[in-house]
Amino acid sequence: MLNIVVMVSGGGTNLQAIIDAIDAGVITDTRIAAVISNNEDAYALERAKKAGIPAVCVSRKEIPDRAAYNQALLAAVEDAGADLIVLAGFLVVIPTEMIQKYRNRIINIHPSLIPSFCGTGFYGLKVHEGALARGVKLTGATVHFVDEGTDTGPIILQKAVAVEDGDTPEILQRRVMEEAEWKLLPQAIDLIAHHRVSVVDGRTIIREAE
Ligand code: GRF
């Protein structure tokens, strides 16, 4: 059984996709041990409570000192017994200590086809604004392991989504979520739960199902 901790800051639609995929048997051999938010108002916390999942808020407001905050985040993850940390719209920079301790055991969903429209400054709607400004015809989403860089870790899964005439950043964001993010993140978790993902020389290898 893979114990996952899902870290969130906002609405939590990706968290919901994971909860639903576990309920539907799309993800197996996995349980959500805890949901951790940096934001006490995150609707994701409500989603966790409704699903009967322990929900914890580790707020920067309450712990302004960065080192103490990093320690508190790490403690919350360790208390939950995380085998895998899933960043699902978590807007806090992950402490280096956590990255080292959970090497290739932290995954993130990013709403573009990395290496396009990623890195510092590309989060939320800004990613989709960038894609529309450049006029790309295809965008998408990427699930990747988290390393010390911003969106630079080994890529696990990617899915392309078409950009359509008349798209606004909000419309495109929604399509990328529906067609890619909500499918890819559960799929990546299930692959990891079944030990099908390995990292060799900074790239992943996905083993076929037996
Ligand atoms: C998603 O677009 C995700 O790719 C990005 O943040 C957003 C989170 O949305 N990293 P939600 O909170 O899961 O609804």
Side-chain angles (χ1 to χ4, degrees), residues 152-173:
T152 53
I155 291 168
I156 303 168
L157 293 173
Q158 294 189 297
K159 188 168 190 290
V161 173
V163 178
E164 292 175 12
D165 289 346
D167 272 353
T168 62
E170 290 79 5
I171 291 171
L172 186 56
Q173 179 182 52

Side-chain angles (χ1 to χ4, degrees), residues 78-195:
E78 290 187 335
D79 286 351
D83 299 316
L84 178 73
I85 299 168
V86 179
L87 307 182
F90 188 59
L91 296 177
V92 174
V93 175
I94 298 301
T96 309
E97 198 184 337
M98 196 185 289
I99 294 170
Q100 288 169 349
K101 206 155 189 179
Y102 288 84
R103 176 78 57 200
N104 295 335
R105 290 193 296 147
I106 308 176
I107 63 172
N108 181 50
I109 178 93
H110 182 78
S112 75
L113 293 174
I114 289 175
S116 290
F117 313 111
C118 66
T120 308
F122 281 112
Y123 60 89
L125 277 178
K126 292 182 193 298
V127 179
H128 306 291
E129 285 164 6
L132 290 175
R134 183 63 185 85
V136 293
K137 303 298 182 194
L138 278 179
T139 182
T142 302
V143 181
H144 64 92
F145 285 115
V146 172
D147 67 7
E148 283 79 355
T150 305
D151 303 326
T152 53
I155 291 168
I156 303 168
L157 293 173
Q158 294 189 297
K159 188 168 190 290
V161 173
V163 178
E164 292 175 12
D165 289 346
D167 272 353
T168 62
E170 290 79 5
I171 291 171
L172 186 56
Q173 179 182 52
R174 181 77 192 180
R175 186 178 314 114
V176 169
M177 283 179 157
E178 284 177 359
E179 292 185 10
E181 295 184 49
W182 300 340
K183 294 176 183 163
L184 278 194
L185 196 53
Q187 201 184 332
I189 293 167
D190 190 65
L191 286 171
I192 293 168
H194 297 99
H195 311 287

Side-chain angles (χ1 to χ4, degrees), residues 18-30:
I18 298 166
I19 293 170
D20 294 347
I22 291 174
D23 284 349
V26 171
I27 302 175
T28 56
D29 301 314
T30 300

Side-chain angles (χ1 to χ4, degrees), residues 8 15-16 19 32 34-35 37 39-57:
V8 295
L15 167 66
Q16 192 66 53
I19 293 170
I32 305 178
V35 169
S37 173
N39 167 14
E40 61 189 0
D41 298 324
Y43 185 66
L45 289 173
E46 290 302 314
R47 294 182 191 270
K49 284 176 202 155
K50 278 185 194 154
I53 299 164
V56 185
C57 179

